[in-house]
Amino acid sequence: MITSNEAKSSGVPERATQGEDIRLRWGWVEHSVWTERMLTALEKGVKGGVWFSLIDKVWTERNLRAAFEKVAANGGASGVDHVSIEQFEQALDANLRTISEQLKQGTYLPQAIRRVEIPKPGSNDKRPLGIPTIRDRVVQGAIRHVMEPIFERMFAEHSYGFRPGKGCKDALRRVQGLLDAGYIHVVDADLKSYFDSIPHEPLMRRVKECVADGRLLQLIESFLKAEIMHGAQEWTPVAGAPQGAVLSPLLSNIYLNPFDHKMAALGFEMVRYADDFVILCRSAQEAEQALEAVRRWMGEAGLVLHQTKTRLANAIEDGFAFLGYEFRDGKRVPRDKSMRKLRDNIRAKTKRSNGSSMSSIIATINPTLRGWFEYFKHSHHWTFRPNDQWIRHRLRSILRRRQKRRGRGRGADHQRWPNAYFAALGLFNLEAAYCANCQPSRR
Protein backbone atom coordinates (compact mmCIF):
# COMPACT_ATOMS: atom_id res chain seq x y z
CA MET A 1 0.00 0.00 0.00
CA ILE A 2 1.47 3.37 -1.01
CA THR A 3 1.30 6.10 1.60
CA SER A 4 0.41 9.69 0.71
CA ASN A 5 3.99 10.88 1.19
CA GLU A 6 5.37 8.04 -0.93
CA ALA A 7 2.93 8.88 -3.69
CA LYS A 8 3.96 12.52 -3.71
CA SER A 9 7.69 11.84 -3.68
CA SER A 10 7.56 9.23 -6.42
CA GLY A 11 5.36 11.17 -8.80
CA VAL A 12 2.45 8.77 -8.19
CA PRO A 13 -0.93 10.57 -7.95
CA GLU A 14 -2.36 10.41 -4.42
CA ARG A 15 -5.69 9.03 -5.61
CA ALA A 16 -4.09 6.34 -7.73
CA THR A 17 -5.39 2.86 -6.99
CA GLN A 18 -4.00 -0.54 -7.88
CA GLY A 19 -6.76 -0.85 -10.48
CA GLU A 20 -5.51 2.09 -12.49
CA ASP A 21 -3.03 1.77 -15.30
CA ILE A 22 0.30 1.31 -13.60
CA ARG A 23 2.06 2.72 -16.64
CA LEU A 24 0.31 6.05 -16.14
CA ARG A 25 1.32 6.15 -12.52
CA TRP A 26 4.96 5.65 -13.47
CA GLY A 27 5.01 7.51 -16.75
CA TRP A 28 8.49 8.95 -16.24
CA VAL A 29 10.38 5.67 -15.81
CA GLU A 30 12.32 4.03 -18.64
CA HIS A 31 9.82 1.45 -19.87
CA SER A 32 12.47 -0.59 -21.67
CA VAL A 33 13.67 -1.45 -18.14
CA TRP A 34 10.64 -1.27 -15.88
CA THR A 35 8.10 -3.87 -16.94
CA GLU A 36 4.59 -3.90 -15.55
CA ARG A 37 5.59 -6.78 -13.27
CA MET A 38 8.56 -4.82 -11.88
CA LEU A 39 6.45 -1.71 -11.35
CA THR A 40 3.91 -3.77 -9.43
CA ALA A 41 6.71 -5.11 -7.23
CA LEU A 42 7.96 -1.54 -6.79
CA GLU A 43 4.58 -0.39 -5.53
CA LYS A 44 3.94 -3.38 -3.30
CA GLY A 45 7.51 -3.55 -2.03
CA VAL A 46 10.03 -6.35 -2.45
CA LYS A 47 11.13 -8.71 0.29
CA GLY A 48 13.37 -6.92 2.77
CA GLY A 49 13.20 -3.76 0.65
CA VAL A 50 16.26 -4.92 -1.30
CA TRP A 51 16.49 -5.50 -5.07
CA PHE A 52 18.58 -8.33 -6.57
CA SER A 53 19.46 -9.19 -10.18
CA LEU A 54 19.52 -5.72 -11.69
CA ILE A 55 22.70 -5.75 -13.79
CA ASP A 56 20.94 -7.68 -16.58
CA LYS A 57 18.55 -4.72 -16.89
CA VAL A 58 21.51 -2.36 -17.34
CA TRP A 59 23.18 -4.14 -20.23
CA THR A 60 20.18 -4.57 -22.55
CA GLU A 61 20.72 -2.75 -25.84
CA ARG A 62 17.26 -1.15 -25.55
CA ASN A 63 18.24 0.44 -22.26
CA LEU A 64 21.65 1.50 -23.57
CA ARG A 65 20.05 3.01 -26.65
CA ALA A 66 17.54 4.95 -24.55
CA ALA A 67 20.41 6.20 -22.39
CA PHE A 68 22.33 7.33 -25.48
CA GLU A 69 19.32 9.28 -26.75
CA LYS A 70 19.31 11.29 -23.53
CA VAL A 71 23.07 11.81 -23.68
CA ALA A 72 22.73 13.09 -27.25
CA ALA A 73 19.83 15.39 -26.28
CA ASN A 74 21.87 16.90 -23.44
CA GLY A 75 24.87 17.51 -25.70
CA GLY A 76 28.20 18.30 -24.15
CA ALA A 77 31.87 17.92 -24.92
CA SER A 78 33.87 14.77 -25.51
CA GLY A 79 35.86 13.06 -22.77
CA VAL A 80 39.49 11.96 -22.59
CA ASP A 81 39.11 9.75 -25.68
CA HIS A 82 38.06 12.80 -27.79
CA VAL A 83 35.07 10.89 -29.17
CA SER A 84 32.17 13.28 -29.76
CA ILE A 85 28.48 12.42 -29.60
CA GLU A 86 28.33 12.60 -33.41
CA GLN A 87 31.28 10.24 -33.82
CA PHE A 88 29.81 7.78 -31.29
CA GLU A 89 26.50 7.85 -33.13
CA GLN A 90 28.09 7.05 -36.50
CA ALA A 91 28.76 3.51 -35.22
CA LEU A 92 25.97 3.46 -32.65
CA ASP A 93 24.81 -0.13 -33.10
CA ALA A 94 28.34 -1.52 -32.92
CA ASN A 95 29.22 0.67 -29.94
CA LEU A 96 26.15 -0.40 -27.98
CA ARG A 97 26.76 -4.08 -28.77
CA THR A 98 30.35 -3.77 -27.54
CA ILE A 99 29.30 -2.06 -24.31
CA SER A 100 26.54 -4.59 -23.72
CA GLU A 101 28.91 -7.53 -24.22
CA GLN A 102 31.55 -6.03 -21.91
CA LEU A 103 28.94 -5.46 -19.19
CA LYS A 104 27.73 -9.05 -19.53
CA GLN A 105 31.26 -10.43 -19.28
CA GLY A 106 32.20 -8.10 -16.42
CA THR A 107 35.10 -6.60 -18.42
CA TYR A 108 33.73 -3.07 -18.75
CA LEU A 109 36.12 -0.50 -17.27
CA PRO A 110 35.31 3.24 -17.03
CA GLN A 111 37.72 5.62 -18.69
CA ALA A 112 39.27 8.58 -16.91
CA ILE A 113 37.18 11.71 -16.33
CA ARG A 114 38.31 14.93 -17.96
CA ARG A 115 38.13 17.72 -15.41
CA VAL A 116 37.66 21.35 -16.38
CA GLU A 117 36.94 24.45 -14.35
CA ILE A 118 34.12 26.73 -15.41
CA PRO A 119 33.39 30.24 -14.10
CA LYS A 120 30.83 30.69 -11.36
CA PRO A 121 28.38 33.43 -12.44
CA GLY A 122 29.06 36.69 -10.61
CA SER A 123 32.17 35.34 -8.93
CA ASN A 124 35.91 35.00 -9.49
CA ASP A 125 35.74 31.41 -8.24
CA LYS A 126 35.75 28.38 -10.53
CA ARG A 127 33.48 25.35 -10.40
CA PRO A 128 35.07 21.94 -11.14
CA LEU A 129 33.21 19.97 -13.77
CA GLY A 130 33.85 16.32 -14.59
CA ILE A 131 33.34 15.21 -18.20
CA PRO A 132 33.12 11.42 -18.66
CA THR A 133 33.48 9.87 -22.11
CA ILE A 134 30.33 9.35 -24.17
CA ARG A 135 30.43 5.57 -23.59
CA ASP A 136 30.64 6.10 -19.82
CA ARG A 137 27.79 8.60 -19.90
CA VAL A 138 25.67 6.03 -21.72
CA VAL A 139 26.40 3.32 -19.14
CA GLN A 140 25.75 5.70 -16.24
CA GLY A 141 22.46 6.69 -17.84
CA ALA A 142 21.49 3.03 -18.16
CA ILE A 143 22.30 2.49 -14.47
CA ARG A 144 20.22 5.50 -13.54
CA HIS A 145 17.26 4.12 -15.51
CA VAL A 146 17.43 1.00 -13.36
CA MET A 147 18.08 2.57 -9.95
CA GLU A 148 16.16 5.84 -9.94
CA PRO A 149 12.61 4.47 -9.40
CA ILE A 150 13.83 2.34 -6.48
CA PHE A 151 15.17 5.33 -4.59
CA GLU A 152 12.51 7.82 -5.70
CA ARG A 153 10.03 6.11 -3.39
CA MET A 154 12.32 6.84 -0.44
CA PHE A 155 13.14 10.47 -1.14
CA ALA A 156 11.59 13.21 0.99
CA GLU A 157 8.92 15.51 -0.37
CA HIS A 158 10.98 18.64 0.32
CA SER A 159 13.88 17.47 -1.89
CA TYR A 160 13.49 19.05 -5.35
CA GLY A 161 16.80 18.77 -7.20
CA PHE A 162 17.31 16.34 -10.10
CA ARG A 163 14.03 14.54 -9.53
CA PRO A 164 11.31 13.61 -12.03
CA GLY A 165 8.36 15.96 -11.91
CA LYS A 166 10.12 18.45 -9.63
CA GLY A 167 12.32 21.47 -10.18
CA CYS A 168 13.54 24.87 -9.08
CA LYS A 169 10.14 26.53 -9.41
CA ASP A 170 8.54 23.97 -7.09
CA ALA A 171 11.23 24.62 -4.49
CA LEU A 172 10.78 28.39 -4.82
CA ARG A 173 7.00 28.09 -4.43
CA ARG A 174 7.53 26.10 -1.25
CA VAL A 175 9.90 28.74 0.13
CA GLN A 176 7.45 31.52 -0.69
CA GLY A 177 4.59 29.61 0.92
CA LEU A 178 6.55 29.17 4.14
CA LEU A 179 7.53 32.84 4.19
CA ASP A 180 3.90 33.85 3.68
CA ALA A 181 2.96 31.56 6.60
CA GLY A 182 5.34 33.41 8.93
CA TYR A 183 8.47 31.26 8.71
CA ILE A 184 10.80 34.25 8.38
CA HIS A 185 13.80 33.05 10.40
CA VAL A 186 16.11 31.28 8.01
CA VAL A 187 19.06 28.92 8.15
CA ASP A 188 20.87 29.87 4.95
CA ALA A 189 23.33 26.99 4.50
CA ASP A 190 26.06 26.17 2.02
CA LEU A 191 27.95 22.89 1.71
CA LYS A 192 31.62 23.24 0.85
CA SER A 193 32.52 21.31 -2.34
CA TYR A 194 29.74 18.80 -1.75
CA PHE A 195 30.05 16.82 -4.98
CA ASP A 196 33.81 16.47 -4.48
CA SER A 197 33.57 15.42 -0.84
CA ILE A 198 30.87 12.71 -0.63
CA PRO A 199 32.56 9.83 1.26
CA HIS A 200 32.53 6.71 -0.91
CA GLU A 201 32.06 4.03 1.73
CA PRO A 202 29.06 5.62 3.52
CA LEU A 203 27.54 6.42 0.12
CA MET A 204 27.82 2.80 -1.00
CA ARG A 205 26.32 1.62 2.29
CA ARG A 206 23.25 3.70 1.54
CA VAL A 207 23.03 2.30 -1.98
CA LYS A 208 23.31 -1.25 -0.58
CA GLU A 209 20.30 -0.64 1.67
CA CYS A 210 18.16 -1.09 -1.46
CA VAL A 211 20.46 -2.75 -4.02
CA ALA A 212 22.11 -6.13 -3.43
CA ASP A 213 23.33 -6.93 -6.96
CA GLY A 214 27.08 -7.31 -6.46
CA ARG A 215 28.01 -6.72 -10.09
CA LEU A 216 25.96 -3.52 -10.26
CA LEU A 217 27.47 -2.28 -7.00
CA GLN A 218 30.96 -3.02 -8.31
CA LEU A 219 30.20 -1.10 -11.50
CA ILE A 220 29.00 1.94 -9.53
CA GLU A 221 32.13 1.86 -7.38
CA SER A 222 34.31 1.70 -10.49
CA PHE A 223 32.74 4.96 -11.69
CA LEU A 224 33.34 6.60 -8.31
CA LYS A 225 37.00 5.59 -8.40
CA ALA A 226 37.61 6.44 -12.07
CA GLU A 227 40.83 8.39 -12.65
CA ILE A 228 40.51 12.15 -12.97
CA MET A 229 42.62 14.06 -15.48
CA HIS A 230 43.12 17.81 -15.16
CA GLY A 231 45.69 19.11 -17.58
CA ALA A 232 48.91 17.22 -16.89
CA GLN A 233 47.64 16.01 -13.50
CA GLU A 234 45.99 12.64 -12.93
CA TRP A 235 44.75 11.11 -9.70
CA THR A 236 42.36 8.54 -8.22
CA PRO A 237 39.62 10.17 -6.13
CA VAL A 238 39.08 8.95 -2.57
CA ALA A 239 35.78 10.84 -2.24
CA GLY A 240 33.20 12.58 -4.36
CA ALA A 241 30.86 12.00 -7.30
CA PRO A 242 32.02 14.26 -10.15
CA GLN A 243 29.66 17.13 -10.90
CA GLY A 244 28.80 16.62 -14.55
CA ALA A 245 28.58 12.83 -14.49
CA VAL A 246 25.16 11.36 -15.33
CA LEU A 247 24.94 9.24 -12.17
CA SER A 248 26.15 11.90 -9.72
CA PRO A 249 22.82 13.71 -9.16
CA LEU A 250 21.10 10.49 -8.09
CA LEU A 251 24.01 9.45 -5.85
CA SER A 252 24.11 12.91 -4.27
CA ASN A 253 20.40 12.69 -3.42
CA ILE A 254 20.85 9.19 -2.01
CA TYR A 255 23.58 10.43 0.34
CA LEU A 256 21.55 13.39 1.63
CA ASN A 257 18.27 11.49 1.90
CA PRO A 258 18.79 10.56 5.60
CA PHE A 259 19.48 14.24 6.27
CA ASP A 260 16.16 15.20 4.67
CA HIS A 261 14.23 12.75 6.84
CA LYS A 262 16.18 13.70 9.97
CA MET A 263 15.27 17.38 9.60
CA ALA A 264 11.63 16.47 8.98
CA ALA A 265 11.56 14.19 12.02
CA LEU A 266 12.89 17.08 14.14
CA GLY A 267 10.02 19.24 12.89
CA PHE A 268 12.06 21.65 10.75
CA GLU A 269 10.74 23.00 7.44
CA MET A 270 13.59 22.47 4.99
CA VAL A 271 13.65 23.05 1.24
CA ARG A 272 16.55 21.38 -0.57
CA TYR A 273 17.65 21.51 -4.19
CA ALA A 274 20.73 19.25 -4.61
CA ASP A 275 23.36 20.68 -2.25
CA ASP A 276 21.58 24.03 -1.88
CA PHE A 277 19.10 24.19 1.01
CA VAL A 278 17.38 26.53 3.43
CA ILE A 279 15.48 25.84 6.64
CA LEU A 280 12.65 28.23 7.48
CA CYS A 281 11.57 28.67 11.10
CA ARG A 282 9.05 30.67 13.10
CA SER A 283 11.56 32.00 15.65
CA ALA A 284 15.23 32.86 15.93
CA GLN A 285 15.62 30.26 18.67
CA GLU A 286 14.21 27.54 16.43
CA ALA A 287 16.60 28.61 13.65
CA GLU A 288 19.56 28.30 16.03
CA GLN A 289 18.42 24.81 17.00
CA ALA A 290 18.06 23.86 13.34
CA LEU A 291 21.55 25.11 12.50
CA GLU A 292 23.01 23.12 15.38
CA ALA A 293 21.22 19.99 14.13
CA VAL A 294 22.58 20.61 10.63
CA ARG A 295 26.15 21.01 11.91
CA ARG A 296 25.88 17.83 13.96
CA TRP A 297 24.54 15.74 11.07
CA MET A 298 27.03 17.09 8.54
CA GLY A 299 29.91 16.40 10.90
CA GLU A 300 28.81 12.79 11.32
CA ALA A 301 28.36 12.44 7.55
CA GLY A 302 31.85 13.70 6.74
CA LEU A 303 30.60 16.88 5.05
CA VAL A 304 31.64 20.48 5.73
CA LEU A 305 29.48 23.59 5.97
CA HIS A 306 30.97 26.67 4.34
CA GLN A 307 31.69 28.86 7.36
CA THR A 308 31.40 32.23 5.62
CA LYS A 309 28.35 31.35 3.55
CA THR A 310 26.30 29.59 6.25
CA ARG A 311 24.34 31.97 8.46
CA LEU A 312 21.13 32.74 10.30
CA ALA A 313 19.01 35.41 8.68
CA ASN A 314 15.75 37.24 9.13
CA ALA A 315 13.95 37.22 5.78
CA ILE A 316 12.46 40.67 6.39
CA GLU A 317 15.50 42.50 7.73
CA ASP A 318 18.47 40.63 6.29
CA GLY A 319 17.16 38.76 3.29
CA PHE A 320 18.61 35.58 1.86
CA ALA A 321 19.37 34.08 -1.52
CA PHE A 322 18.10 30.78 -2.90
CA LEU A 323 18.20 29.33 -6.42
CA GLY A 324 19.02 32.62 -8.12
CA TYR A 325 16.48 34.73 -6.22
CA GLU A 326 16.92 37.20 -3.37
CA PHE A 327 14.13 37.13 -0.77
CA ARG A 328 13.89 40.34 1.27
CA ASP A 329 11.17 42.40 2.94
CA GLY A 330 8.42 40.22 1.54
CA LYS A 331 9.64 40.64 -2.03
CA ARG A 332 11.44 38.36 -4.45
CA VAL A 333 13.98 39.69 -6.95
CA PRO A 334 16.86 38.21 -8.96
CA ARG A 335 20.02 38.12 -6.88
CA ASP A 336 22.94 40.27 -8.01
CA LYS A 337 24.74 37.26 -9.53
CA SER A 338 21.68 36.48 -11.64
CA MET A 339 21.51 40.06 -12.88
CA ARG A 340 25.22 40.09 -13.75
CA LYS A 341 24.90 36.81 -15.62
CA LEU A 342 22.06 38.21 -17.75
CA ARG A 343 23.93 41.40 -18.55
CA ASP A 344 27.16 39.57 -19.30
CA ASN A 345 25.27 37.38 -21.79
CA ILE A 346 23.68 40.41 -23.45
CA ARG A 347 26.98 42.32 -23.57
CA ALA A 348 28.64 39.47 -25.44
CA LYS A 349 25.92 39.66 -28.12
CA THR A 350 25.64 43.46 -28.40
CA LYS A 351 29.17 44.72 -28.89
CA ARG A 352 29.25 48.06 -30.69
CA SER A 353 31.41 46.48 -33.39
CA ASN A 354 28.69 43.92 -34.17
CA GLY A 355 28.21 43.95 -37.94
CA SER A 356 24.94 42.04 -38.11
CA SER A 357 21.64 43.70 -38.92
CA MET A 358 19.67 45.00 -35.95
CA SER A 359 16.93 42.46 -36.59
CA SER A 360 19.55 39.67 -36.50
CA ILE A 361 21.04 40.97 -33.25
CA ILE A 362 17.58 41.12 -31.68
CA ALA A 363 16.85 37.57 -32.89
CA THR A 364 20.07 36.49 -31.16
CA ILE A 365 19.32 38.07 -27.78
CA ASN A 366 15.59 37.28 -27.63
CA PRO A 367 16.03 33.62 -26.59
CA THR A 368 18.25 34.78 -23.70
CA LEU A 369 15.64 37.31 -22.61
CA ARG A 370 12.75 34.85 -22.88
CA GLY A 371 14.60 32.19 -20.92
CA TRP A 372 15.61 34.65 -18.21
CA PHE A 373 12.07 36.00 -17.94
CA GLU A 374 10.53 32.54 -17.75
CA TYR A 375 12.60 31.82 -14.64
CA PHE A 376 12.43 35.25 -13.00
CA LYS A 377 8.89 36.29 -14.00
CA HIS A 378 7.73 36.09 -10.37
CA SER A 379 10.12 38.87 -9.35
CA HIS A 380 8.91 42.25 -8.06
CA HIS A 381 7.71 44.50 -10.89
CA TRP A 382 10.55 46.98 -10.52
CA THR A 383 12.98 44.32 -11.80
CA PHE A 384 12.07 44.54 -15.46
CA ARG A 385 11.94 48.14 -16.70
CA PRO A 386 15.60 48.99 -15.85
CA ASN A 387 16.75 45.92 -17.75
CA ASP A 388 14.65 46.85 -20.79
CA GLN A 389 16.13 50.34 -20.71
CA TRP A 390 19.67 49.00 -20.43
CA ILE A 391 19.18 46.59 -23.35
CA ARG A 392 17.81 49.34 -25.62
CA HIS A 393 20.75 51.50 -24.54
CA ARG A 394 23.12 48.77 -25.76
CA LEU A 395 21.31 48.57 -29.09
CA ARG A 396 21.29 52.34 -29.57
CA SER A 397 25.05 52.36 -28.98
CA ILE A 398 25.47 49.97 -31.91
CA LEU A 399 23.34 52.17 -34.16
CA ARG A 400 25.20 55.29 -32.99
CA ARG A 401 28.53 53.67 -33.89
CA ARG A 402 27.25 52.96 -37.39
CA GLN A 403 26.54 56.64 -37.88
CA LYS A 404 30.17 57.41 -36.96
CA ARG A 405 29.12 58.94 -33.65
CA ARG A 406 31.29 58.49 -30.60
CA GLY A 407 30.30 57.21 -27.19
CA ARG A 408 27.29 55.30 -26.01
CA GLY A 409 23.62 55.84 -26.84
CA ARG A 410 22.30 59.03 -25.24
CA GLY A 411 20.35 62.24 -25.67
CA ALA A 412 18.64 62.55 -29.04
CA ASP A 413 19.25 58.88 -29.76
CA HIS A 414 15.96 58.22 -27.98
CA GLN A 415 14.19 60.25 -30.67
CA ARG A 416 16.22 58.77 -33.54
CA TRP A 417 15.47 55.23 -32.41
CA PRO A 418 12.46 55.31 -30.06
CA ASN A 419 11.29 52.29 -28.08
CA ALA A 420 8.71 51.59 -30.78
CA TYR A 421 11.55 51.13 -33.30
CA PHE A 422 12.92 48.15 -31.37
CA ALA A 423 9.44 46.80 -30.66
CA ALA A 424 8.73 46.79 -34.40
CA LEU A 425 11.87 44.69 -34.90
CA GLY A 426 10.53 42.17 -32.40
CA LEU A 427 12.67 42.91 -29.34
CA PHE A 428 11.36 40.92 -26.38
CA ASN A 429 10.16 43.35 -23.72
CA LEU A 430 10.53 42.12 -20.14
CA GLU A 431 8.15 44.65 -18.58
CA ALA A 432 5.43 43.97 -21.17
CA ALA A 433 5.83 40.23 -20.62
CA TYR A 434 5.50 40.76 -16.86
CA CYS A 435 2.30 42.80 -17.27
CA ALA A 436 0.86 40.17 -19.62
CA ASN A 437 1.78 37.43 -17.15
CA CYS A 438 -0.07 39.26 -14.37
CA GLN A 439 -3.30 39.50 -16.35
CA PRO A 440 -6.00 36.99 -15.33
CA SER A 441 -6.48 34.25 -17.92
CA ARG A 442 -9.56 34.44 -20.10
CA ARG A 443 -11.54 31.48 -21.31
Side-chain angles (χ1 to χ4, degrees), residues 274-285:
D275 58 335
D276 196 358
F277 66 92
V278 290
I279 301 175
L280 295 98
C281 306
R282 289 190 178 276
S283 69
Q285 182 181 9

Side-chain angles (χ1 to χ4, degrees), residues 259-277:
F259 172 61
D260 295 336
H261 290 288
K262 178 67 174 180
M263 293 299 105
L266 293 174
F268 297 124
E269 295 287 355
M270 183 171 75
V271 181
R272 182 173 70 81
Y273 190 96
D275 58 335
D276 196 358
F277 66 92

Side-chain angles (χ1 to χ4, degrees), residues 241-443:
Q243 196 165 359
V246 177
L247 199 52
S248 293
L250 176 60
L251 295 177
S252 70
N253 275 335
I254 290 172
Y255 195 67
L256 286 179
N257 187 50
F259 172 61
D260 295 336
H261 290 288
K262 178 67 174 180
M263 293 299 105
L266 293 174
F268 297 124
E269 295 287 355
M270 183 171 75
V271 181
R272 182 173 70 81
Y273 190 96
D275 58 335
D276 196 358
F277 66 92
V278 290
I279 301 175
L280 295 98
C281 306
R282 289 190 178 276
S283 69
Q285 182 181 9
E286 184 185 354
E288 290 174 359
Q289 294 170 348
L291 180 55
E292 181 56 34
V294 170
R295 287 190 173 125
R296 186 164 50 252
W297 192 93
M298 293 298 170
E300 294 171 354
L303 302 175
V304 178
L305 286 174
H306 202 299
Q307 293 301 313
T308 59
K309 295 182 180 179
T310 298
R311 65 187 184 118
L312 298 176
N314 183 300
I316 305 301
E317 300 171 2
D318 309 312
F320 67 98
F322 186 60
L323 298 181
Y325 275 92
E326 177 83 15
F327 294 85
R328 186 189 298 272
D329 197 23
K331 300 177 180 64
R332 192 199 311 187
V333 297
R335 63 184 304 189
D336 290 343
K337 286 184 179 180
S338 304
M339 295 292 290
R340 286 197 293 270
K341 183 178 180 180
L342 170 67
R343 295 200 173 196
D344 287 345
N345 285 339
I346 298 299
R347 280 192 188 95
K349 298 174 181 178
T350 57
K351 294 180 179 178
R352 276 181 276 177
S353 58
N354 192 314
S356 301
S357 67
M358 184 54 60
S359 59
S360 295
I361 295 172
I362 288 173
T364 300
I365 66 175
N366 272 350
T368 300
L369 296 175
R370 289 193 180 97
W372 190 88
F373 175 77
E374 180 60 29
Y375 189 78
F376 290 105
K377 63 185 178 183
H378 299 294
S379 300
H380 195 269
H381 68 83
W382 67 43
T383 299
F384 304 104
R385 180 177 294 182
N387 281 305
D388 283 328
Q389 293 172 337
W390 180 83
I391 291 162
R392 289 191 294 264
H393 168 81
R394 296 283 303 177
L395 298 177
R396 289 187 179 105
S397 296
I398 296 173
L399 295 170
R400 183 180 179 86
R401 171 81 172 263
R402 292 176 181 178
Q403 290 192 352
K404 310 299 182 184
R405 298 173 185 270
R406 295 182 179 181
R408 297 176 294 178
R410 62 183 185 272
D413 291 343
H414 291 270
Q415 284 73 50
R416 294 188 187 95
W417 305 291
N419 296 354
Y421 170 81
F422 299 107
L425 291 175
L427 178 63
F428 184 82
N429 186 283
L430 297 169
E431 185 178 27
Y434 172 80
C435 292
N437 187 63
C438 290
Q439 295 296 321
S441 60
R442 295 180 180 179
R443 294 188 178 183

Side-chain angles (χ1 to χ4, degrees), residues 112-296:
I113 294 172
R114 182 166 69 89
R115 183 169 180 153
V116 298
E117 292 185 342
I118 58 176
K120 283 187 176 182
S123 171
N124 293 325
D125 296 334
K126 300 284 188 178
R127 174 182 288 115
L129 184 68
I131 305 177
T133 60
I134 305 302
R135 66 190 285 272
D136 285 344
R137 278 154 42 196
V138 169
V139 175
Q140 289 189 34
I143 295 172
R144 182 169 180 169
H145 286 166
V146 172
M147 288 179 51
E148 191 168 35
I150 295 171
F151 287 94
E152 259 299 307
R153 285 175 53 84
M154 301 173 56
F155 290 158
E157 187 176 350
H158 55 260
S159 166
Y160 294 90
F162 310 118
R163 295 186 58 194
K166 292 194 172 192
C168 290
K169 292 183 178 180
D170 301 300
L172 291 165
R173 276 192 289 269
R174 177 61 177 154
V175 169
Q176 190 63 60
L178 288 168
L179 291 172
D180 293 342
Y183 291 78
I184 64 170
H185 297 275
V186 183
V187 178
D188 185 3
D190 187 272
L191 286 174
K192 189 174 182 180
S193 303
Y194 172 60
F195 280 88
D196 280 342
S197 59
I198 302 174
H200 286 170
E201 287 189 17
L203 169 61
M204 291 306 301
R205 284 199 297 270
R206 286 168 196 177
V207 174
K208 291 174 184 178
E209 289 175 0
C210 293
V211 175
D213 187 315
R215 291 182 63 182
L216 177 55
L217 293 169
Q218 186 177 16
L219 182 59
I220 295 169
E221 285 191 272
S222 70
F223 280 116
L224 291 174
K225 298 182 184 302
E227 295 288 304
I228 295 178
M229 295 180 63
H230 187 197
Q233 297 179 312
E234 185 172 353
W235 69 92
T236 302
V238 295
Q243 196 165 359
V246 177
L247 199 52
S248 293
L250 176 60
L251 295 177
S252 70
N253 275 335
I254 290 172
Y255 195 67
L256 286 179
N257 187 50
F259 172 61
D260 295 336
H261 290 288
K262 178 67 174 180
M263 293 299 105
L266 293 174
F268 297 124
E269 295 287 355
M270 183 171 75
V271 181
R272 182 173 70 81
Y273 190 96
D275 58 335
D276 196 358
F277 66 92
V278 290
I279 301 175
L280 295 98
C281 306
R282 289 190 178 276
S283 69
Q285 182 181 9
E286 184 185 354
E288 290 174 359
Q289 294 170 348
L291 180 55
E292 181 56 34
V294 170
R295 287 190 173 125
R296 186 164 50 252

